[in-house]
Amino acid sequence: MTDNTMNDSDIGIDIPVVINSTKLVVEVDNEAEDVAHTETIVSDNTNTVPTDSGANAVSITPHPAWTATIPGSTPWIWEAGATSPNEVVAFEKSFTVIGTVLSATLDIASDNNYRVLIDGTEVAAGASTNNFTLATQDTHNLSAFVTPGVHTLRIEVTNVGVFNANSNPGGLLYKLVVESKECQCNV
């Protein structure tokens, strides 16, 4: 005869079970649902510009050469004033991811080149000085770099040459979409 009582070293299962003489059947409540989450972070005036004393980015009128388009992301942004030659202008925005990350996709266009960091770690870059046309804008899969929790997205853009609002402006247009799911378990 087998002793089926539990002692201090046994592990209890806190789910309904049915036991008969030949097998152990575990019945699991499958009513748990996954809740989908989408976090969308875009270029807008809620981006801060730490290189401009933490001021907010400003919306700018796109230069006629800027033909890049990113649905759901407008406007192009830059810092409020003119920049010095080849100045790197940084834009930051915090975001929160809930649950398990399924995908994280960044669409980006800039005048001129850029560097993308998440929590201080570089995750993408564009060395092209012509990243602002529809044919040259970039898409990056950042799924490996985004985890549940609070993050800071930082995009550093260099306007190559001497800034001029009419002939050599600087600008950034982007959208980061993070898809995740969270289990709403009834345990």
Side-chain angles (χ1 to χ4, degrees):
M1 177 177 237
T2 303
D3 179 10
N4 289 325
T5 60
M6 293 181 69
N7 61 42
D8 290 337
S9 64
D10 291 332
I11 299 172
I13 300 174
D14 192 21
I15 55 176
V17 295
V18 176
I19 299 175
N20 64 33
S21 61
T22 59
K23 63 183 174 181
L24 171 68
V25 177
V26 178
E27 296 176 4
V28 178
D29 180 4
N30 287 326
E31 293 183 30
E33 293 183 24
D34 288 337
V35 175
H37 295 279
T38 301
E39 184 71 23
T40 304
I41 304 92
V42 297
S43 51
D44 61 18
N45 62 4
T46 64
N47 285 257
T48 59
V49 186
T51 52
D52 189 20
S53 303
N56 283 6
V58 295
S59 302
I60 57 172
T61 302
H63 187 274
W66 298 350
T67 57
T69 60
I70 300 173
S73 179
T74 55
W76 284 77
I77 58 173
W78 197 244
E79 68 178 357
T83 55
S84 57
N86 301 316
E87 181 178 343
V88 176
V89 178
F91 301 89
E92 288 187 352
K93 197 166 195 180
S94 293
F95 64 99
T96 303
V97 176
I98 299 171
T100 303
V101 175
L102 302 173
S103 67
T105 304
L106 174 69
D107 292 304
I108 186 169
S110 65
D111 188 345
N112 290 107
N113 48 33
Y114 65 86
R115 218 168 67 111
V116 180
L117 300 98
I118 295 179
D119 300 329
T121 301
E122 184 174 317
V123 297
S128 170
T129 59
N130 187 23
N131 172 254
F132 47 77
T133 68
L134 184 59
T136 61
Q137 68 189 50
D138 294 328
T139 299
H140 298 281
N141 179 348
L142 303 182
S143 301
F145 306 105
V146 180
T147 58
V150 178
H151 300 284
T152 299
L153 173 68
R154 180 181 176 107
I155 301 175
E156 298 174 347
V157 180
T158 303
N159 184 40
V160 177
V162 177
F163 176 87
N164 180 298
N166 296 318
S167 63
N168 190 30
L172 171 64
L173 180 69
Y174 78 88
K175 178 171 74 171
L176 172 62
V177 178
V178 180
E179 300 286 345
S180 62
K181 70 176 181 176
E182 177 185 25
C183 180
Q184 297 292 315
C185 301
N186 294 331
V187 179

